[in-house]
Amino acid sequence: MRNALAAVLLAALAPAAVPAEPPRPIPDAAALSRLEAQYAPVDLRVDLSALPGPERLALTKPVEAARIMDALFLRQVWSGNDELSLRLLEDTTALGQARLIYFLRNKGPWDRLDQMRPFLPGVPAKPPAADFYPAGATREEVQAYLKSLPDAERERAGGFFTVLRRDPAGGIAVVPYSVEYQGALARAAAVLREAARATEAPALRAFLEKRAEAFLTNDYYASDLAWMELDSALEPTIGPYEVYEDEWFNAKAAFEAFVCVRDDPETRKLARFSAELQDVEDHLPIAAEHRNPRLGALAPIRVVNEIFASGDANRGLATAAFNLPNDERIVHEKGSKRVMLKNVQQAKFEKALLPIAQVVLSIEDRARVAFESFFAPILVHELMHGLGPHRITVGGRSTTVRQELQESYSVLEEAKADVSGLFALQRFIDRGVVERSMERTLYPTYLASMFRSLRFGLADAHGSGTALQLNWFLDRGAVVPRQDGTFAVNVKKMKEAVVSLTREIMTLQAKGDVGGARDLLRRLAVVRPVLQGALDRLRGVPVDIAPRFVTAEELTR
Ligand code: ZN
């Protein structure tokens, strides 16, 4: 699963009710460059100097395999993509070049930042079935077909790693990916095996060999398990994973790859934070009976730097974090692994967060924005999901916060992870786990970061949860609007507001108080005029980044 912001952005930019609009013209070369300019170009570099020679070779090969995933993903998005990309490649006019660039950015002729609006002439609307289901079939026909199958066969036909095609008799046939994409997957498997021979890390070798095997046998189970256990200097993720392109059933996995290298300093920091979590839980600003005296084991989190991304992992918005696998069998047995892409976050910080800070923060606070204070809350957010109330008792009944809070659950849980993360970081500062100097940058950076999240709208839990926090801080004088339209942080009041909001949310969760939760969200998970004014002034700031994989290019040259 992907950082939710990708989905949010699409929803946010879509007006809630779309009035009948005259069709907009197909963009010309100048308009296409303006669209592409929403993505600020950035060189993605990774320092590989500490990497031994064999591992460097083991890194080069997955980049080659990842390029194959790009081509496979294009085919999966739409059956017409292959032919269209060839046509665009041949068109050497300025318009043709601009079209090719935006086509590759979006992995198809539809604008992923603008409700999938076609930006090339003569293309259909984006097919919600992508290329996973038989040409000309309806959703109902496929659904009826799946229903008609015996259980085991239905599981295969409706599963992650098969496509459905017309058979010669006009019925439907189930085709495994290993057959549908045979040539490309055989090449990818061969390259991964070369990488497996090169590496000296046993866990990495096991993953690469098993994933190569999976490409040929279509059985991904063992390689997914090997990926979960992987904790080596190289962290490749490659294969069919996310199901967003299948808008009919969210069932079919799209090809993608992230080729990454572990970030050791951040990994040590994460271990330091993790060791403090019971202390944080023991001091949460809630009634003692709501605290958990023994926290359970943590799901694995890896902090890495991205060398290369392709396919579903490199279309439209750049993925900054992901959670895999999606296969419920693995999730049930082993949980899932969260991977944070630090250099991608850093690029977003430089290209989007700093410009946002220039527009919305007071002059004094602008000078107090730092990457470390952008990234640490993102890491701690993930950890904090494990703290606070989860299993609760309501009226003598054993239940969960999720069940009791219903549709309010996600927004409150995201806001909780954010605000209690600030609470935890302040405690780390006070106990010397992180340096005292962070206190100076933590809150102003967080304020700019809240405006960044708010830009993506209220359609999703993260955006709504941000609005809730921002309004809580405004109402308590922790964030102060200035005459010139900027906002200033009052650190003393901010610390108090972080404590009071953590208490408010976690107490609603502990009591399973759905009425209270709904009331809080109705009042505060809104964009007030003062916030809307700031959002309006952010219009010219890039929405995201366009990474150039310069280290990967140097490696494979
Ligand atoms: Zn979260």
Side-chain angles (χ1 to χ4, degrees):
M1 237 172 293
R2 203 59 64 67
N3 190 333
L5 285 181
V8 183
L9 183 60
L10 295 177
L13 298 181
V18 187
E21 230 185 303
R24 280 179 287 172
I26 293 293
D28 59 15
L32 283 169
S33 327
R34 279 196 300 277
L35 291 173
E36 174 66 10
Q38 297 172 99
Y39 300 92
V42 59
D43 286 351
L44 220 53
R45 283 182 198 285
V46 182
D47 178 10
L48 302 178
S49 55
L51 215 56
E55 301 314 298
R56 208 169 293 197
L57 181 61
L59 185 61
T60 308
K61 292 294 159 185
V63 173
E64 287 175 29
R67 294 207 167 105
I68 299 172
M69 300 298 118
D70 245 347
L72 284 176
F73 179 68
L74 265 184
R75 267 175 77 183
Q76 289 183 307
V77 169
W78 180 42
S79 57
N81 264 347
D82 278 356
E83 199 204 312
L84 182 56
S85 53
L86 286 179
R87 237 175 40 224
L88 290 172
L89 276 168
E90 283 167 6
D91 185 346
T92 53
T93 63
L95 177 61
Q97 295 298 299
R99 282 176 169 170
L100 179 63
I101 289 171
Y102 211 52
F103 172 87
L104 294 175
R105 170 88 35 234
N106 288 283
K107 299 281 159 75
W110 305 282
D111 190 343
R112 291 178 185 268
L113 286 183
D114 188 10
Q115 298 174 265
M116 300 295 178
R117 188 165 78 94
F119 56 84
L120 293 182
V123 299
K126 186 170 191 286
D131 189 41
F132 297 122
Y133 299 100
T138 62
R139 188 175 186 278
E140 289 66 37
E141 184 190 356
V142 170
Q143 206 157 25
Y145 164 76
L146 290 173
K147 244 188 186 155
S148 74
L149 297 172
D151 284 354
E153 189 50 21
R154 186 184 325 118
E155 209 167 287
R156 202 171 85 89
F160 288 120
F161 312 122
T162 58
V163 292
L164 302 188
R165 295 290 179 243
R166 283 275 172 231
D167 66 21
I172 293 179
V174 184
V175 182
Y177 281 8
S178 54
V179 174
E180 177 75 11
Y181 309 115
Q182 194 164 32
L185 289 180
R187 285 200 308 282
V191 176
L192 290 189
R193 287 197 164 127
E194 281 183 62
R197 281 194 292 274
T199 180
E200 285 171 353
L204 177 63
R205 183 178 309 128
F207 167 69
L208 292 167
E209 277 170 357
K210 286 176 179 165
R211 183 54 37 134
E213 179 85 12
F215 282 157
L216 305 178
T217 61
N218 217 47
D219 183 354
Y220 285 86
Y221 181 78
S223 54
D224 272 343
L225 278 183
W227 183 81
M228 280 300 296
E229 281 156 15
L230 188 61
D231 184 10
S232 62
L234 310 189
E235 180 91 27
T237 302
I238 181 166
Y241 285 107
E242 301 288 4
V243 296
Y244 303 114
E245 290 298 311
D246 173 6
E247 291 174 59
W248 272 1
F249 303 107
N250 277 181
K252 302 300 176 192
F255 285 98
E256 66 178 348
F258 299 92
V259 182
C260 302
V261 176
R262 186 173 57 203
D263 187 298
D264 287 324
E266 288 298 331
T267 300
R268 282 194 292 275
K269 195 188 285 173
L270 188 63
R272 220 160 58 231
F273 290 172
S274 302
E276 290 289 315
L277 292 181
Q278 187 67 56
D279 170 80
V280 173
E281 175 78 24
D282 294 344
H283 294 87
L284 286 174
I286 50 176
E289 74 259 29
H290 297 324
R291 295 181 193 138
N292 182 353
R294 271 195 45 210
L295 291 175
L298 274 176
I301 301 181
R302 305 273 181 265
V303 185
V304 301
N305 291 304
E306 180 178 289
I307 301 263
F308 192 74
S310 67
D312 202 27
N314 185 28
R315 43 130 179 107
L317 295 178
T319 301
F322 59 91
N323 234 358
L324 286 173
N326 290 323
D327 187 336
E328 291 84 359
R329 290 174 306 168
I330 313 269
V331 174
H332 183 73
E333 288 162 32
K334 286 252 164 194
S336 60
K337 183 161 89 179
R338 182 129 187 103
V339 181
M340 322 278 290
L341 305 164
K342 186 186 157 195
N343 59 343
V344 177
Q345 302 272 17
Q346 182 136 26
K348 291 185 186 228
F349 171 82
E350 278 156 21
K351 299 295 175 183
L353 196 87
L354 285 180
I356 287 173
Q358 290 300 316
V359 175
V360 298
L361 294 198
S362 69
I363 290 189
E364 311 87 88
D365 285 328
R366 269 173 231 173
R368 299 189 184 118
V369 175
F371 174 67
E372 186 201 17
S373 286
F374 175 68
F375 192 60
I378 294 174
L379 278 186
V380 175
H381 171 109
E382 296 305 327
L383 299 174
M384 294 310 292
H385 275 309
L387 275 66
H390 290 98
R391 281 220 73 86
I392 55 173
T393 306
V394 177
R397 226 166 12 96
S398 173
T399 178
T400 63
V401 175
R402 184 190 291 273
Q403 273 174 337
E404 294 306 308
L405 296 191
Q406 301 172 45
E407 85 293 342
S408 315
Y409 169 76
S410 299
V411 179
L412 272 196
E413 178 60 24
E414 291 311 325
K416 173 205 98 172
D418 274 348
V419 73
S420 66
L422 285 181
F423 170 84
L425 277 166
Q426 185 61 53
R427 193 164 171 83
F428 296 165
I429 292 168
D430 294 339
R431 286 165 52 80
V433 178
V434 301
E435 280 176 25
R436 171 64 62 183
S437 61
M438 194 185 214
E439 196 170 51
R440 194 171 166 271
T441 55
L442 180 62
Y443 298 106
T445 307
Y446 190 73
L447 178 55
S449 185
M450 281 194 285
F451 278 102
R452 177 172 171 269
S453 305
L454 201 59
R455 274 185 102 189
F456 297 127
L458 299 183
D460 161 283
H462 291 82
S464 274
T466 299
L468 161 65
Q469 296 169 72
L470 204 36
N471 286 319
W472 184 277
F473 297 151
L474 283 165
D475 290 345
R476 278 156 192 76
V479 171
V480 186
R482 293 262 174 93
Q483 282 290 326
D484 61 2
T486 63
F487 296 80
V489 175
N490 178 319
V491 173
K492 182 172 169 290
K493 289 185 176 171
M494 191 74 178
K495 289 187 194 175
E496 292 163 8
V498 163
V499 169
S500 62
L501 183 56
T502 301
R503 179 183 301 121
E504 177 80 12
I505 294 176
M506 286 196 180
T507 303
L508 289 169
Q509 290 182 323
K511 293 181 172 167
D513 182 357
V514 64
R518 284 178 180 153
D519 182 57
L520 182 71
L521 296 183
R522 192 180 43 73
R523 285 186 292 116
L524 296 182
V526 295
V527 177
R528 294 173 181 167
V530 65
L531 297 179
Q532 187 58 51
L535 290 180
D536 292 344
R537 289 169 43 236
L538 288 173
R539 283 230 171 94
V541 175
V543 172
D544 200 48
I545 53 166
R548 283 189 298 242
F549 301 109
V550 288
T551 299
E553 278 160 25
E554 283 160 18
L555 267 177
T556 54
R557 190 174 291 149

